[in-house]
Amino acid sequence: DHINFHKLVRVHRSFVVNVAQIDEFSDTEILIKKKSIPIGRSYKEGFLQSFHLADKRFKPSFRACPS
């Protein structure tokens, strides 16, 4: 079954994250409340697409703006 909730994104075989809770991320990991979550290679493009950043040239870290 698929969860159809646009804020949830699978980022690793073992992790699904709520993008509204992300504090910052890099090419390889996501930080949520000081907890590090790895981004799996096969999930990276889908994760970046959730931010409309799927351009392969995108490399820098991103710090989410506080709401």
Side-chain angles (χ1 to χ4, degrees), residues 43-58:
Y43 298 97
K44 181 178 173 181
E45 187 173 338
F47 170 69
L48 293 177
Q49 283 177 348
S50 70
F51 290 97
H52 305 288
L53 300 173
D55 185 343
K56 302 259 188 224
R57 295 170 294 167
F58 177 76

Side-chain angles (χ1 to χ4, degrees), residues 28-41:
T28 59
E29 69 177 356
I30 297 167
L31 291 176
I32 298 177
K33 297 182 182 179
K34 299 182 183 178
K35 303 271 192 229
S36 175
I37 299 167
I39 299 174
R41 287 177 291 176

Side-chain angles (χ1 to χ4, degrees), residues 4-64:
N4 213 5
F5 185 65
H6 68 277
K7 291 185 179 182
L8 295 179
V9 178
R10 181 168 299 280
V11 296
H12 188 275
R13 184 174 64 168
S14 302
F15 295 98
V16 174
V17 299
N18 180 339
V19 295
Q21 298 296 313
I22 295 173
D23 296 317
E24 54 186 291
F25 67 86
S26 70
D27 272 352
T28 59
E29 69 177 356
I30 297 167
L31 291 176
I32 298 177
K33 297 182 182 179
K34 299 182 183 178
K35 303 271 192 229
S36 175
I37 299 167
I39 299 174
R41 287 177 291 176
S42 61
Y43 298 97
K44 181 178 173 181
E45 187 173 338
F47 170 69
L48 293 177
Q49 283 177 348
S50 70
F51 290 97
H52 305 288
L53 300 173
D55 185 343
K56 302 259 188 224
R57 295 170 294 167
F58 177 76
K59 292 288 182 197
S61 293
F62 171 83
R63 181 175 290 274

